[in-house]
Amino acid sequence: MRVSANFKVILASAAALAIVVAGSSVRAQDGLASGVQAQSGPRLDFPAGLATDGRAVYVANSRNNTIEAIDPASKSLRIVAGTLFQQGSNDGVGPAARFNSPDGMTMNGQNLYLCDTNNSDIRQITVSGTVTTVAGTANISGTEDGTGSAAHFNLPTQIATDGTSLYVADSGNNSIRRITLADFKVKTIAGQSGTSGKAEGGVDKSLFAGPRGVAVDKKAIYVADTGNDVIRMIDISSLQTSTLAGTGEEGDKDGPAAEAQFNNPGAICTDGAFLYVLDADNHSVRKIDLAAKTVTKLTLVNGHIGSGCALTTDGKQLYFSDTTENAVEVVDTSSGNVSTLFPPGQ
């Protein structure tokens, strides 16, 4: 895999990204309908959110509107839920389910949880392929908290879990939402829905600008505050928001977290010791030492990243989506060496 520090791709904002993906999905379907020959064999088209249970790497195949699983041993790809090129919002089993530009995913036990971005809702997918909508209502965006379908989202992009709750980067609402797994009750825990900005403080004061990444450990919820080019931290007990890393000025600078700079940070994930950031427009995977509060570059990537990342349970490997190559890559978190998980031989 070639890398370059100077290669540049313009990444749309969170809300625009979802619209671009949706538009591309329609064009892909139109192309097939008009007789354009599709690539043969299993493939990824704008891979987005990722999750892993150690046996498979699950990927939101966003432009194809399917959820797929990659076998790391055989490097084979299979569809878990959805039907290729079929857009919609149906719940159901396997090919009967429909999605609309699915993005971020996380895993709890035998269940995947998905931000179905252009449907503005949250879906649950069993590893056997049964899909249900657990929060939000398809095609109805909004800001309301509540239980299940009584709550509304606006272009949610990324999701994480601590085993008790789900945490959602509700990008179009500039807010972070919490969903309790026991009852699927939704509550806004940071940011002011409909208001973009950058402010620290509690639930009623904090402000974000199009947050796209979210991760969680036992102490905090971490947020890639994409529009502000900073990484934020929400104390899981007090729900106080502070800035973990970044000056807020667009740039590419390692070092002490308070002096570091990012450029369009997207998906993030953590093992509790380190936070990994897909710094999209710097084409790099950044590594934040949560104890030392320092930022370093793990690796450079000659492609468009920022849509999905997932760590193995031992924290030794990081999977990330590369939408330039339509691939899922894997990086060694110690050495920074990168290889391709899928498609094989790339």
Side-chain angles (χ1 to χ4, degrees):
M1 181 179 184
R2 294 173 299 166
V3 296
S4 168
N6 298 316
F7 185 77
K8 186 77 172 175
V9 172
I10 298 173
L11 180 66
S13 68
L17 176 64
I19 295 168
V20 168
V21 173
S24 299
S25 177
V26 171
R27 288 193 295 272
Q29 294 177 56
D30 289 346
L32 288 173
S34 62
V36 176
Q37 186 175 359
Q39 178 182 332
S40 61
R43 66 179 181 129
L44 298 174
D45 194 356
F46 213 103
L50 300 174
T52 183
D53 59 4
R55 293 169 294 182
V57 177
Y58 298 92
V59 53
N61 200 2
S62 186
R63 209 142 47 188
N64 285 340
N65 288 309
T66 52
I67 307 305
E68 314 211 10
I70 303 169
D71 184 320
S74 65
K75 294 195 173 182
S76 59
L77 183 71
R78 65 178 174 87
I79 296 175
V80 176
T83 296
L84 287 171
F85 315 121
Q86 297 298 308
Q87 177 181 298
S89 59
N90 302 33
D91 289 338
V93 179
R98 296 288 184 270
F99 304 94
N100 192 349
S101 298
D103 198 344
M105 283 197 297
T106 190
M107 192 156 202
N108 185 51
Q110 297 295 298
N111 293 322
L112 291 160
Y113 293 94
L114 167 76
C115 290
D116 196 4
T117 300
N118 275 16
N119 278 327
S120 287
D121 59 14
I122 308 301
R123 316 290 290 278
Q124 176 185 277
I125 309 164
T126 67
V127 293
S128 59
T130 299
V131 179
T132 53
T133 301
V134 297
T137 301
N139 301 311
I140 300 178
S141 61
T143 64
E144 294 84 2
D145 289 337
T147 300
S149 61
H152 294 101
F153 300 85
N154 186 5
L155 300 174
T157 53
Q158 298 292 322
I159 189 168
T161 186
D162 59 5
T164 301
S165 297
L166 303 169
Y167 300 91
V168 179
D170 195 9
S171 299
N173 278 329
N174 299 304
S175 62
I176 307 303
R177 317 287 291 278
R178 183 181 66 203
I179 307 171
T180 308
L181 281 168
D183 55 9
F184 297 112
K185 186 175 182 179
V186 179
K187 181 177 176 60
T188 302
I189 60 169
Q192 312 306 308
S193 293
T195 302
S196 177
K198 181 177 180 289
E200 319 289 17
V203 177
D204 59 342
K205 294 182 179 179
S206 57
L207 291 172
F208 296 80
R212 287 198 57 224
V214 64
V216 63
D217 61 21
K218 294 180 180 180
K219 296 180 180 179
I221 305 141
Y222 305 97
V223 179
D225 192 3
T226 308
N228 285 319
D229 289 312
V230 295
I231 309 302
R232 313 287 289 282
M233 180 172 68
I234 305 166
D235 184 275
I236 210 161
S237 298
S238 66
L239 299 182
Q240 290 285 316
T241 296
S242 59
T243 297
L244 172 66
T247 63
E249 181 180 352
E250 180 184 296
D252 185 7
K253 183 179 179 182
D254 291 334
E259 300 174 13
Q261 293 176 339
F262 301 86
N263 190 354
N264 225 340
I268 60 177
C269 48
T270 186
D271 60 2
F274 299 97
L275 181 72
Y276 298 91
V277 180
L278 300 193
D279 195 10
D281 282 359
N282 282 326
H283 302 281
S284 59
V285 181
R286 312 284 288 277
K287 185 176 183 178
I288 303 176
D289 186 317
L290 293 172
K293 292 195 169 43
T294 55
V295 180
T296 56
K297 276 186 187 64
L298 179 60
T299 191
L300 290 167
V301 180
N302 186 20
H304 172 194
I305 62 174
S307 295
C309 64
L311 280 167
T312 54
T313 54
D314 59 10
K316 293 182 178 180
Q317 291 185 313
L318 170 70
Y319 299 107
F320 65 91
S321 296
D322 181 338
T323 54
T324 298
E325 301 293 336
N326 285 318
V328 174
E329 316 282 4
V330 56
V331 57
D332 184 294
T333 56
S334 295
S335 68
N337 292 333
V338 179
S339 59
T340 299
L341 175 67
F342 188 90
Q346 183 163 301

